[in-house]
Amino acid sequence: MKQDIQTIDDIKALVDQFYSIIQQDELLGPIFQERIQDNWIKHLEKMYTFWQTVLLNEHSYFGSPFPPHMNLPIGERHFGHWLHLFETTVDRLYEGEKAEEAKWRAQKMAEMFQFKLEYINANSNKKPLI
């Protein structure tokens, strides 16, 4: 039986394995590599604190996750693939309440980011209200 996500070390294992897969992925790898370049350590550290805050309720992440994604060439196909890779990684490593919460939160985040990007793209040629 697999354990659940319980500690920052569990978060680090999840993040490290997930982004190792992302870096090798034909669809997502080039997008991440273009944006992150040689800053993978900084990106991984940010992801550790993000998931630590979200799943362990240990407030170590300060920032806004959406803005770095606003100008990326991504759409529904990318979000679906990202989510599949994330859920597969969680399932391979963990099981339990926090593991299910991680997958649920990732799904909601993907939905929200996709909705925001679609809204921005649909309204990019309109004048701001103010």
Side-chain angles (χ1 to χ4, degrees):
M1 184 169 164
K2 299 174 203 162
Q3 70 173 28
D4 201 359
I5 299 168
Q6 300 173 28
T7 68
I8 185 62
D9 289 334
D10 297 333
I11 297 286
K12 288 180 178 181
L14 171 61
V15 167
D16 288 347
Q17 287 203 27
F18 175 64
Y19 282 102
S20 176
I21 293 166
I22 288 288
Q23 290 179 48
Q24 302 302 316
D25 188 76
E26 290 182 14
L27 178 64
L28 300 177
I31 296 168
F32 276 82
Q33 190 57 43
E34 182 180 324
R35 177 57 61 107
I36 295 172
Q37 298 179 1
D38 293 333
N39 296 311
W40 278 101
I41 292 173
K42 184 178 179 181
H43 179 71
L44 293 174
E45 289 173 355
K46 188 178 288 188
M47 294 301 94
Y48 301 152
T49 60
F50 175 80
W51 287 107
Q52 179 183 25
T53 299
V54 169
L55 295 175
L56 303 179
N57 204 27
E58 298 172 4
H59 299 282
S60 56
Y61 176 80
F62 299 95
S64 299
F66 178 71
H69 300 85
M70 283 185 0
N71 296 316
L72 294 177
I74 53 179
E76 183 177 350
R77 179 173 78 133
H78 299 91
F79 285 108
H81 189 59
W82 177 89
L83 187 59
H84 170 73
L85 294 176
F86 185 82
E87 290 175 344
T88 301
T89 306
V90 171
D91 288 342
R92 186 173 52 257
L93 296 173
Y94 303 106
E95 65 181 28
E97 185 178 324
K98 288 293 180 185
E100 292 303 313
E101 181 182 352
K103 294 186 294 185
W104 179 82
R105 288 185 180 268
Q107 178 184 10
K108 294 303 173 194
M109 186 170 35
E111 290 172 359
M112 178 189 64
F113 279 22
Q114 186 175 340
F115 176 77
K116 285 183 172 186
L117 286 172
E118 288 171 0
Y119 178 83
I120 288 168
N121 290 334
N123 294 289
S124 63
N125 61 351
K126 296 181 182 177
K127 286 181 115 181
L129 294 175
I130 298 177

